Each structure stands twice: as C-alpha cells, then as structure tokens.
Amino acid sequence: MTDSETGGDPILFYFDFSSPFAYLAANKINDVAKLYGREVDWRPTLLGAVFKLNGNKPLMDQPLKGEYARRDLARCARLMGLPMEMPESFPFLSVAAARAVWWLKGKDEALAQTVALALFNAAFQEAKAINSAEAVLEIAAENGVDPEDLKAALNDPDVKEKLKTEVDASIAAGVCGAPFFIVDGEPFWGADRIDHLEHWLSTGGW
C-alpha cells in the first residue's frame, strides 16, 4: 500500500547528532513516511545518557565492532547514494544542536527538521565540527533562524530542562541507540531497519 492517504500517527524518529547512522536515516525517513501519508516527529536525544545506563560506549570505539562499523557505514552510505565524510573530532558533543532543535520544534516543526538535517549534513557530508554553540548558530542562521534569538535560547534554563526531560523520556520509551524509530508502538533500531519499518507501514504490521 503506497497511497499517500493512508494516514496514521507520526513516526517517532529519535537521534543523536553524533551518530553517523542517524545521519543516513535523517536523509531517508521523511521520504519513506510520505509514501504512507505519515508525518515524522524528529526527536533529538543524547546517547551518552543511554551509555551510562547500559554500560556501553560509542560503537566506533569498541574493539573489533568499531572497525566493522566504519566499513559498514561507508558501504551503507554508498548504497543510499549519500556522501560520507567523518568529522575530525568524533564522537562529538551534540548538546547545543539538540537544544536548538527542541527550541525550534516549539515554534516551527518544519524549520526544526530543516535545521536538523542541515546540521547532520554539515557534520557527515562536509566533516564540519557542529559541537559548539557557534557552529550551530551559523548553520541555523544559514537556514533562516535568527541567530540572536537562538543564542538566547541555548542559554535558557527552560530549553536546557526541556532537553533533559526529553532525553529521560526517550530512555523511558526504550530508545537504546540511534537512529531509533517507533511506529504505531513498534520499535525499530538502526538505519538498516528502515526497510523493516517500511514493510510494517505497507502491511499494517506483522
């Protein structure tokens, strides 16, 4: 079923800007959702909080698994037709980027998604550092966001608390990595599960 009138609840898309696999997903998920008349709710989180809970560490830093992941990442990017350039500093702090997107979501969901995708592409297509507030402000401004308003927001205690609350909520929802999707209550973890997610949408579940 590929009728754009299918409708249904939004697909929840959880991500950390420091995840290159989430970068791949960010460039695909809206197109998949559109085929089935779904919206996507982009929800930045922080994997550091997950790692503290489960005792894990970033995938690329894990012996054996990290080397495989680098090869797999490059292969996945080629398959999807996406450029891939890893930033020099990796993994990187994504707090400022996450705060910016949560603030924007409260004002304009479409703009929040535009800025989020621009941040991902800057990091993993152009190998730019996006870990600082200054970098986030620059990229957001290039996409129509008032940099002074955003600068104030990044230091707003309410925005800081919003991110903390949403990180806690993501963990409560079962988010164990990034990218992570929830469709009609069904969780899917990983960019390589988007095909499964699409099959779920096309069949109504299995």
Side-chain angles (χ1 to χ4, degrees):
M1 185 187 310
T2 59
D3 191 330
S4 63
E5 295 181 0
T6 301
D9 293 335
I11 297 168
L12 304 183
F13 169 36
Y14 296 90
F15 59 90
D16 188 318
F17 282 104
S18 190
S19 166
F21 287 101
Y23 150 71
L24 298 180
N27 277 278
K28 186 172 182 179
I29 186 59
N30 277 18
D31 290 339
V32 170
K34 191 178 299 183
L35 292 174
Y36 304 93
R38 297 294 186 102
E39 300 293 329
V40 183
D41 185 355
W42 290 44
R43 308 181 71 82
T45 189
L46 301 174
L47 288 182
V50 175
F51 296 154
K52 286 181 182 179
L53 184 65
N54 62 21
N56 213 333
K57 60 182 179 179
L59 179 60
M60 303 297 188
D61 292 345
Q62 297 180 31
L64 298 178
K65 194 178 288 186
E67 288 304 313
Y68 171 79
R70 287 181 176 83
R71 188 184 188 103
D72 185 52
L73 177 63
R75 184 173 57 216
C76 289
R78 292 195 303 270
L79 181 64
M80 294 174 66
L82 291 170
M84 172 61 71
E85 293 289 339
M86 296 293 288
E88 183 176 346
S89 178
F90 179 84
F92 54 81
L93 293 176
S94 57
V95 173
R99 284 179 185 164
V101 171
W102 275 112
W103 176 72
L104 284 168
K105 280 172 67 67
K107 297 179 173 298
D108 185 332
E109 177 70 26
L111 182 57
Q113 293 189 18
T114 295
V115 170
L117 187 58
L119 286 163
F120 266 128
N121 291 346
F124 296 109
Q125 290 186 7
E126 304 173 48
K128 288 185 176 180
I130 65 164
N131 57 313
S132 68
E134 291 75 17
V136 173
L137 289 169
E138 179 181 348
I139 293 167
E142 290 170 355
N143 287 273
V145 178
D146 186 304
E148 291 304 317
D149 287 349
L150 179 54
K151 183 177 181 179
L154 292 179
N155 292 295
D156 187 330
D158 288 342
V159 175
K160 294 179 180 180
E161 184 62 26
K162 174 65 174 176
L163 176 58
K164 182 180 183 301
T165 298
E166 293 296 343
V167 170
D168 291 343
S170 71
I171 292 173
V175 174
C176 57
F180 197 96
F181 311 92
I182 299 179
V183 184
D184 304 329
E186 189 72 13
F188 295 88
W189 173 26
D192 58 350
R193 287 297 181 263
I194 291 182
D195 289 346
H196 291 202
L197 182 155
E198 184 170 3
H199 186 64
W200 184 275
L201 290 170
S202 69
T203 61
W206 72 88

